[in-house]
Amino acid sequence: MIETRGLTRRFGERTVVDDVSFDVPAGMLTGFVGGNGAGKTTTMRMIMGLLGLSAGEVLWQGRPIAAADRRRFGYMPEERGLYPKQRILDQLVYLGELSGLPAARARASATESLERFGLADRSGDRVEKLSLGNQQRVQIIAALLNQPQALILDEPFSGLDPTAVDSMVDLLREETGRGVPVLFSSHQLDLVERLCDRLVVLRAGEVVAQGGVEELRARGPERLRVVTDRDAGWIRDIAGVHVLDVDGAEALVELADQDERAADAVRRAILTAGLDRGEVRELATVRTPLSEIYREVTA
Amino acid sequence: MNDQTETRAAERPWLLVARREVVTRLTDKSFLIGTLITLVLVVGFIGWTIWSEDRTERVTVAATAADAATAQLLEREVPEVDDGLEVELVEVASDAAGVAALEDEDADVLLRATDDGWTLVGRKEVPGDLTAAAESIIGDAALTANAERAGTSPAELRQGGAVDTVLLEGDAERQDFAQGMGFLLAFLFYFAALGFGYTLSGSVVEEKANRIVEIITTKIPVRQLLIGKIAGNTLLALGQTALIVAVGLVGISFTEYSSFLSGISAGIGWFAVFFLVGFLFVACWWAVAGALASRAEDLQTTAAPLTFVMMGVFFGAFLFEGTVQTVASYVPPFSIVLMPIRVLNGDAAVGEPVAAIAILLAAMAATVVLAERIYRRALLQTQGRVTLKQAWAAAD
């Protein structure tokens, strides 16, 4: 598990990352979201030891992280690119050797991964000859060469087509299956929602929400969708209901009180009132989309 | 998955970095072609020198029958005075016919008697070598004739008028040769420092612009990366320069200057030492220039001060004289070329290059420490150019 404790980074007068604490548990995909300039890249760079810390600490397996631990992390920087003019296999072997693999092992591992991604026949090509998606594949191969014990990926999905996204997802799932903690940043909230076990939301350098996706959803008021056979305007008269939208026979409401008992009472009141006026075709709890949670916490 | 080979750090990672720098360059066609062209130029220049040395110039001299005796004297004596020159005689009916022969390019020179001696008439020029030879031959002949008429001999007439030169150290030609070699070596350093320096800073910017430096520095310390890049490029610069110098020296051994080679071996040896330490010294700054830029286009600006310093070192090799030269030969980076030049010229005492190299080594050590700090701090700044001051003041 990776833990950050009170991570802070100042550039001169500006505090870019302010007292950031979160966990990246083993075997889980943790999504790191936040707007541009929220401090995601800076935080990741601090975890990787590329930037010094103004305050706070990074823990690996419960103790302060050391350079030797980081050497076995897989890292993919933002706006990635390898040496454009070097041949793909040579480059991967070089990076493998830098992380401490003997040359023969690095070569075997790189060749195997290239085969897996269907890039074996391109191994003698220069990186610049590859399409963007394939460059990204080589990049992730580079991050995985050394069987990393953790993965820190800055925007690994940007610029990938849907097929490439799927194969990247499979790959990351495989890594978490090995028990590897994975932290990745992304702007694509739908993807994060589909993919993540956990979520850390950053705004202006501060963590505004973190936890399991379901956990975060549960934090907000419960939403109900009510569908009747006639105009649903009557729902405005029911106490304890905050109406978000009424559209003909359909209504979207929020329960004002989060207390479970009170919520039950309101649900019953809606049902009774609806049945008094005709038929109630649907009364369902609505899953709040992540994008809305995100908007709420970063608002 | 936690077996030993995986958790161990790469041993001496700078060697891996240096190896990549060297292999990348050696498999780069433009680098190989550039080196080959340089070698061809060196071989060509030396070949031309040898060829022009062995070549005999043939000058056609026209003369009327009246002046034929002197012309024949030139024909006989000139090759003895100047072994690169031969005279062919063309007899003409009159001076006017001689001028016509010049205009028609049937003759190169017209020999004419005047009231008090002789005139060589040429079209646009009279070969300088012929003038000197003719002056000496005809002058001697006249002196002998005049002396006989006066009842004495040329030797008696010349008595007490001989001026000889004796040099305590070497001779003039040797000195010229040493000086020429010095400038050549200074040029080689300038050539290598600029060429390989730009390559080095270019490769630093490349890594920065591609963010691959972020991947590398999570695997190995920044210092190892810096040392590897400097070592690789120094090896390349040294190798290329050694190749050029070796080809040049072998070439020179086939020319008339071969006898001077033993005299400059100490100078060449010192040049190699200064080149090595000096290149390491400037390479640090080239790496910094690269780190201060974010894109290849910024490099011209961040490397400009260094380019000027390199030019200063180069011109210093020509322009500094006397005390200025002596003082500058201790001051890095001027000492890199000036001290070996002073050794070549025989101006430096034995201890002097040792002292200068000690100063250069100290400067280099200080530079590595400074450069590492600036390099490390500027390396992750990927927005625009970074000033030295910003990089120095930035936190890690």
Side-chain angles (χ1 to χ4, degrees), chain B residues 215-278:
Chain B
I215 300 178
I216 294 173
T217 49
T218 59
K219 296 176 188 293
I220 64 170
V222 169
R223 177 179 300 183
Q224 295 279 330
L225 177 63
L226 178 65
I227 291 175
K229 294 190 88 70
I230 289 173
N233 281 284
T234 303
L235 192 69
L236 283 166
L238 207 64
Q240 195 195 49
T241 308
L243 191 65
I244 294 171
V245 171
V247 167
L249 289 181
V250 169
I252 289 173
S253 70
F254 288 109
T255 68
E256 58 176 322
Y257 302 108
S258 60
S259 62
F260 300 151
L261 283 180
S262 61
I264 60 163
S265 59
I268 301 254
W270 273 114
F271 176 77
V273 174
F274 275 86
F275 184 101
L276 173 64
V277 182

Coordinates of all heavy atoms in Angstrom, one line a residue, chain B residues 215-278:
Chain B
I215 N 11.2 9.2 -16.3 CA 11.3 7.7 -16.1 C 12.7 7.4 -15.6 O 12.9 6.6 -14.7 CB 10.9 7.0 -17.4 CG1 9.5 7.4 -17.9 CG2 11.1 5.5 -17.2 CD1 9.1 6.7 -19.2
I216 N 13.7 7.9 -16.3 CA 15.1 7.6 -16.0 C 15.4 7.9 -14.6 O 16.0 7.1 -13.8 CB 16.1 8.2 -17.0 CG1 15.8 7.6 -18.4 CG2 17.5 8.0 -16.6 CD1 16.6 8.3 -19.5
T217 N 15.0 9.1 -14.2 CA 15.4 9.6 -12.8 C 14.6 8.9 -11.7 O 14.9 9.1 -10.5 CB 15.4 11.1 -12.7 OG1 14.1 11.6 -13.2 CG2 16.5 11.8 -13.5
T218 N 13.6 8.2 -12.0 CA 13.0 7.4 -11.0 C 13.7 6.1 -10.8 O 13.6 5.3 -9.8 CB 11.5 7.0 -11.3 OG1 11.4 6.3 -12.5 CG2 10.6 8.2 -11.4
K219 N 14.6 5.8 -11.8 CA 15.4 4.5 -11.7 C 16.8 4.7 -11.2 O 17.3 3.9 -10.6 CB 15.4 3.9 -13.1 CG 14.0 3.4 -13.6 CD 14.1 2.9 -15.0 CE 12.8 2.6 -15.6 NZ 12.0 1.5 -15.0
I220 N 17.4 5.8 -11.7 CA 18.8 6.1 -11.3 C 18.9 7.5 -10.8 O 18.1 8.4 -11.2 CB 19.8 5.8 -12.4 CG1 19.5 6.8 -13.6 CG2 19.7 4.4 -12.9 CD1 20.6 6.8 -14.6
P221 N 19.9 7.8 -9.9 CA 20.1 9.2 -9.4 C 20.5 10.1 -10.6 O 21.1 9.7 -11.5 CB 21.2 9.1 -8.4 CG 21.3 7.6 -8.1 CD 20.8 6.9 -9.3
V222 N 20.0 11.4 -10.5 CA 20.3 12.4 -11.5 C 21.8 12.5 -11.7 O 22.3 12.6 -12.9 CB 19.7 13.8 -11.1 CG1 20.2 14.9 -12.0 CG2 18.2 13.7 -11.1
R223 N 22.6 12.4 -10.7 CA 24.1 12.5 -10.8 C 24.6 11.5 -11.8 O 25.5 11.7 -12.6 CB 24.7 12.4 -9.5 CG 26.2 12.5 -9.6 CD 26.9 12.4 -8.2 NE 26.5 13.5 -7.4 CZ 27.0 13.7 -6.2 NH1 27.9 12.9 -5.7 NH2 26.5 14.7 -5.4
Q224 N 24.1 10.3 -11.6 CA 24.5 9.2 -12.5 C 24.2 9.4 -14.0 O 25.0 9.2 -14.9 CB 23.9 7.8 -12.1 CG 24.3 7.4 -10.7 CD 25.6 6.7 -10.7 OE1 26.0 6.1 -11.7 NE2 26.4 6.8 -9.6
L225 N 23.0 10.0 -14.2 CA 22.6 10.4 -15.5 C 23.6 11.4 -16.1 O 24.0 11.3 -17.2 CB 21.2 10.9 -15.5 CG 20.6 11.4 -16.9 CD1 20.5 10.2 -17.9 CD2 19.2 12.0 -16.7
L226 N 23.8 12.5 -15.3 CA 24.7 13.6 -15.7 C 26.1 13.0 -16.1 O 26.7 13.3 -17.1 CB 24.8 14.6 -14.7 CG 25.7 15.8 -14.9 CD1 25.1 16.6 -16.1 CD2 25.8 16.7 -13.7
I227 N 26.6 12.2 -15.1 CA 28.0 11.7 -15.3 C 28.0 10.8 -16.6 O 29.0 10.9 -17.4 CB 28.4 10.9 -14.1 CG1 28.6 11.8 -12.9 CG2 29.7 10.1 -14.4 CD1 29.0 11.1 -11.6
G228 N 27.0 10.0 -16.7 CA 27.0 9.1 -17.9 C 27.0 9.8 -19.2 O 27.7 9.5 -20.2
K229 N 26.2 10.9 -19.3 CA 26.1 11.7 -20.5 C 27.4 12.4 -20.8 O 27.9 12.4 -21.9 CB 24.9 12.7 -20.4 CG 23.6 12.1 -20.3 CD 22.5 13.1 -20.5 CE 22.1 13.3 -21.9 NZ 21.4 12.1 -22.5
I230 N 28.0 12.9 -19.7 CA 29.3 13.6 -19.9 C 30.4 12.6 -20.3 O 31.1 12.9 -21.3 CB 29.7 14.4 -18.7 CG1 28.7 15.6 -18.5 CG2 31.1 14.9 -18.7 CD1 28.9 16.3 -17.2
A231 N 30.4 11.5 -19.7 CA 31.5 10.5 -20.0 C 31.3 10.0 -21.4 O 32.3 9.9 -22.1 CB 31.4 9.3 -19.0
G232 N 30.1 9.7 -21.8 CA 29.9 9.2 -23.2 C 30.3 10.2 -24.2 O 31.0 9.8 -25.2
N233 N 29.9 11.4 -24.0 CA 30.3 12.4 -25.1 C 31.7 12.8 -25.0 O 32.3 13.1 -26.1 CB 29.4 13.7 -24.9 CG 28.0 13.5 -25.5 OD1 27.8 13.5 -26.7 ND2 27.0 13.2 -24.6
T234 N 32.3 12.7 -23.8 CA 33.8 13.0 -23.8 C 34.5 11.9 -24.5 O 35.5 12.2 -25.3 CB 34.2 13.1 -22.3 OG1 33.5 14.1 -21.6 CG2 35.7 13.4 -22.2
L235 N 34.1 10.7 -24.3 CA 34.8 9.6 -25.0 C 34.7 9.7 -26.5 O 35.6 9.5 -27.2 CB 34.1 8.2 -24.5 CG 34.8 7.0 -24.9 CD1 36.1 6.9 -24.2 CD2 33.9 5.8 -24.7
L236 N 33.5 10.1 -27.0 CA 33.3 10.3 -28.4 C 34.2 11.4 -28.9 O 34.8 11.3 -30.0 CB 31.8 10.6 -28.7 CG 30.8 9.5 -28.6 CD1 29.4 10.0 -28.6 CD2 31.0 8.6 -29.9
A237 N 34.2 12.6 -28.2 CA 35.0 13.7 -28.6 C 36.5 13.3 -28.7 O 37.2 13.6 -29.6 CB 34.7 14.9 -27.7
L238 N 36.9 12.7 -27.6 CA 38.3 12.3 -27.5 C 38.6 11.3 -28.6 O 39.7 11.4 -29.3 CB 38.5 11.6 -26.1 CG 39.9 11.7 -25.6 CD1 40.3 13.2 -25.3 CD2 40.0 10.9 -24.3
G239 N 37.8 10.3 -28.8 CA 38.0 9.3 -29.9 C 38.1 10.0 -31.3 O 39.0 9.7 -32.0
Q240 N 37.1 10.8 -31.6 CA 37.1 11.5 -32.9 C 38.4 12.3 -33.1 O 39.0 12.3 -34.1 CB 35.9 12.3 -33.1 CG 35.6 12.6 -34.6 CD 34.6 13.7 -34.7 OE1 34.7 14.8 -34.1 NE2 33.7 13.5 -35.6
T241 N 38.7 13.1 -32.1 CA 39.9 14.0 -32.2 C 41.1 13.2 -32.3 O 42.0 13.5 -33.1 CB 39.9 15.0 -31.0 OG1 38.6 15.6 -30.8 CG2 41.0 16.0 -31.1
A242 N 41.2 12.1 -31.5 CA 42.4 11.3 -31.5 C 42.6 10.7 -32.9 O 43.7 10.6 -33.5 CB 42.4 10.2 -30.5
L243 N 41.5 10.3 -33.5 CA 41.5 9.7 -34.9 C 42.1 10.8 -35.9 O 42.9 10.5 -36.7 CB 40.1 9.3 -35.3 CG 40.0 8.4 -36.5 CD1 40.7 7.1 -36.3 CD2 38.5 8.2 -36.8
I244 N 41.5 12.0 -35.8 CA 41.9 13.0 -36.7 C 43.4 13.3 -36.5 O 44.2 13.4 -37.4 CB 41.1 14.3 -36.5 CG1 39.6 14.0 -36.9 CG2 41.7 15.5 -37.3 CD1 38.7 15.1 -36.5
V245 N 43.9 13.5 -35.2 CA 45.2 13.8 -34.9 C 46.2 12.7 -35.4 O 47.2 12.9 -36.0 CB 45.4 14.1 -33.4 CG1 46.9 14.2 -33.1 CG2 44.7 15.3 -33.0
A246 N 45.7 11.4 -35.1 CA 46.6 10.3 -35.5 C 46.8 10.2 -37.1 O 47.9 10.1 -37.6 CB 45.9 9.0 -35.1
V247 N 45.7 10.4 -37.8 CA 45.7 10.4 -39.2 C 46.6 11.6 -39.7 O 47.5 11.4 -40.6 CB 44.3 10.5 -39.9 CG1 44.4 10.9 -41.3 CG2 43.6 9.2 -39.7
G248 N 46.5 12.7 -39.0 CA 47.3 13.9 -39.4 C 48.8 13.6 -39.1 O 49.6 13.9 -40.0
L249 N 49.1 13.0 -38.0 CA 50.5 12.8 -37.6 C 51.1 11.8 -38.6 O 52.3 12.0 -39.0 CB 50.6 12.3 -36.2 CG 50.3 13.4 -35.1 CD1 50.5 12.8 -33.7 CD2 51.2 14.6 -35.3
V250 N 50.4 10.7 -38.9 CA 50.9 9.7 -39.8 C 51.2 10.4 -41.1 O 52.2 10.2 -41.8 CB 49.9 8.5 -40.0 CG1 50.3 7.7 -41.1 CG2 49.9 7.7 -38.7
G251 N 50.2 11.3 -41.5 CA 50.4 12.0 -42.8 C 51.6 12.9 -42.8 O 52.4 12.8 -43.7
I252 N 51.8 13.6 -41.7 CA 53.0 14.5 -41.6 C 54.3 13.7 -41.7 O 55.2 14.2 -42.2 CB 52.9 15.3 -40.3 CG1 51.7 16.3 -40.3 CG2 54.2 16.1 -40.0 CD1 51.5 17.1 -39.1
S253 N 54.3 12.5 -41.1 CA 55.5 11.7 -41.1 C 56.0 11.4 -42.6 O 57.1 11.0 -42.8 CB 55.3 10.4 -40.3 OG 54.5 9.5 -41.0
F254 N 55.1 11.6 -43.6 CA 55.5 11.4 -44.9 C 55.9 12.7 -45.6 O 56.3 12.7 -46.7 CB 54.3 10.8 -45.8 CG 54.0 9.4 -45.5 CD1 52.9 9.1 -44.8 CD2 54.9 8.4 -45.8 CE1 52.6 7.7 -44.5 CE2 54.6 7.1 -45.5 CZ 53.5 6.7 -44.9
T255 N 55.9 13.8 -44.9 CA 56.3 15.1 -45.4 C 57.7 15.5 -44.9 O 58.2 14.8 -44.1 CB 55.3 16.2 -45.1 OG1 55.4 16.4 -43.6 CG2 53.9 15.8 -45.4
E256 N 58.2 16.6 -45.4 CA 59.5 17.1 -45.0 C 59.5 17.5 -43.5 O 60.6 17.7 -42.9 CB 59.9 18.2 -45.9 CG 59.0 19.4 -45.8 CD 59.5 20.6 -46.6 OE1 60.7 20.8 -46.6 OE2 58.6 21.3 -47.2
Y257 N 58.3 17.7 -42.9 CA 58.2 18.1 -41.5 C 58.4 16.9 -40.5 O 58.3 17.1 -39.3 CB 56.9 18.8 -41.2 CG 56.7 20.0 -42.1 CD1 55.7 20.0 -43.1 CD2 57.4 21.2 -41.9 CE1 55.5 21.1 -43.9 CE2 57.2 22.3 -42.7 CZ 56.3 22.2 -43.7 OH 56.1 23.3 -44.5
S258 N 58.6 15.7 -41.1 CA 58.6 14.5 -40.2 C 59.6 14.7 -39.1 O 59.4 14.2 -38.0 CB 58.8 13.3 -41.0 OG 60.0 13.3 -41.7
S259 N 60.7 15.3 -39.4 CA 61.8 15.4 -38.4 C 61.4 16.2 -37.2 O 62.0 16.1 -36.2 CB 63.1 16.0 -39.1 OG 62.8 17.3 -39.5
F260 N 60.4 17.1 -37.4 CA 60.0 17.9 -36.2 C 59.1 17.2 -35.3 O 58.8 17.7 -34.2 CB 59.2 19.2 -36.7 CG 60.0 20.0 -37.7 CD1 59.4 20.8 -38.6 CD2 61.4 20.1 -37.5 CE1 60.1 21.6 -39.5 CE2 62.2 20.9 -38.4 CZ 61.5 21.7 -39.4
L261 N 58.6 16.1 -35.7 CA 57.5 15.4 -34.9 C 58.0 15.1 -33.5 O 57.3 15.2 -32.5 CB 57.0 14.1 -35.6 CG 56.0 14.4 -36.7 CD1 55.6 13.1 -37.4 CD2 54.8 15.2 -36.2
S262 N 59.2 14.6 -33.4 CA 59.7 14.2 -32.1 C 59.7 15.4 -31.1 O 59.5 15.2 -29.9 CB 61.1 13.6 -32.2 OG 62.0 14.5 -32.7
G263 N 60.0 16.6 -31.7 CA 60.1 17.8 -30.8 C 58.8 18.2 -30.3 O 58.7 18.9 -29.3
I264 N 57.7 17.8 -30.9 CA 56.4 18.3 -30.4 C 55.6 17.2 -29.6 O 54.5 17.4 -29.2 CB 55.5 18.8 -31.5 CG1 55.2 17.7 -32.6 CG2 56.1 20.0 -32.2 CD1 54.0 18.0 -33.5
S265 N 56.2 16.0 -29.4 CA 55.5 14.9 -28.8 C 55.1 15.3 -27.4 O 53.9 15.0 -27.0 CB 56.3 13.6 -28.8 OG 57.5 13.9 -28.1
A266 N 55.9 16.0 -26.7 CA 55.5 16.4 -25.3 C 54.3 17.3 -25.4 O 53.3 17.2 -24.6 CB 56.7 17.1 -24.6
G267 N 54.3 18.2 -26.3 CA 53.2 19.2 -26.5 C 51.9 18.4 -26.8 O 50.9 18.7 -26.2
I268 N 52.0 17.5 -27.7 CA 50.8 16.7 -28.1 C 50.3 15.9 -26.9 O 49.1 15.8 -26.6 CB 51.2 15.7 -29.2 CG1 51.7 16.5 -30.4 CG2 50.0 14.8 -29.6 CD1 50.7 16.7 -31.6
G269 N 51.2 15.3 -26.1 CA 50.8 14.6 -24.9 C 50.1 15.5 -24.0 O 49.0 15.1 -23.5
W270 N 50.6 16.7 -23.7 CA 49.9 17.6 -22.8 C 48.6 18.0 -23.4 O 47.6 18.2 -22.7 CB 50.8 18.8 -22.5 CG 51.7 18.6 -21.3 CD1 53.1 18.6 -21.4 CD2 51.4 18.4 -20.0 NE1 53.6 18.3 -20.1 CE2 52.5 18.2 -19.3 CE3 50.1 18.3 -19.3 CZ2 52.6 17.9 -17.9 CZ3 50.1 18.0 -18.0 CH2 51.3 17.8 -17.3
F271 N 48.6 18.2 -24.7 CA 47.3 18.6 -25.3 C 46.2 17.5 -25.0 O 45.1 17.8 -24.6 CB 47.5 18.7 -26.8 CG 46.2 19.0 -27.5 CD1 45.6 20.3 -27.4 CD2 45.5 18.0 -28.2 CE1 44.4 20.6 -28.1 CE2 44.3 18.3 -28.8 CZ 43.8 19.6 -28.8
A272 N 46.6 16.2 -25.1 CA 45.7 15.1 -24.8 C 45.1 15.2 -23.4 O 43.9 15.1 -23.2 CB 46.3 13.8 -25.1
V273 N 46.0 15.5 -22.4 CA 45.6 15.6 -21.1 C 44.7 16.8 -20.9 O 43.6 16.6 -20.3 CB 46.9 15.7 -20.1 CG1 46.4 16.0 -18.7 CG2 47.7 14.5 -20.2
F274 N 45.1 17.9 -21.4 CA 44.2 19.1 -21.2 C 42.9 19.0 -22.0 O 41.9 19.4 -21.5 CB 45.0 20.4 -21.7 CG 45.9 21.0 -20.7 CD1 47.2 20.5 -20.5 CD2 45.4 22.0 -19.9 CE1 48.0 21.1 -19.5 CE2 46.2 22.5 -18.9 CZ 47.5 22.1 -18.7
F275 N 43.0 18.3 -23.1 CA 41.7 18.1 -23.9 C 40.7 17.3 -23.0 O 39.6 17.6 -22.9 CB 42.1 17.4 -25.2 CG 40.9 17.2 -26.1 CD1 40.7 18.0 -27.1 CD2 39.9 16.2 -25.8 CE1 39.6 17.9 -28.0 CE2 38.8 16.1 -26.6 CZ 38.7 16.9 -27.7
L276 N 41.2 16.2 -22.4 CA 40.4 15.3 -21.6 C 39.7 16.1 -20.5 O 38.5 16.1 -20.4 CB 41.2 14.1 -21.1 CG 40.4 13.2 -20.2 CD1 39.3 12.5 -20.9 CD2 41.4 12.1 -19.6
V277 N 40.6 16.7 -19.6 CA 40.0 17.4 -18.5 C 39.2 18.6 -18.9 O 38.1 18.8 -18.4 CB 41.2 17.8 -17.5 CG1 40.6 18.5 -16.3 CG2 42.0 16.6 -17.1
G278 N 39.7 19.3 -19.9 CA 39.0 20.5 -20.4 C 37.6 20.2 -21.0 O 36.7 20.9 -20.8

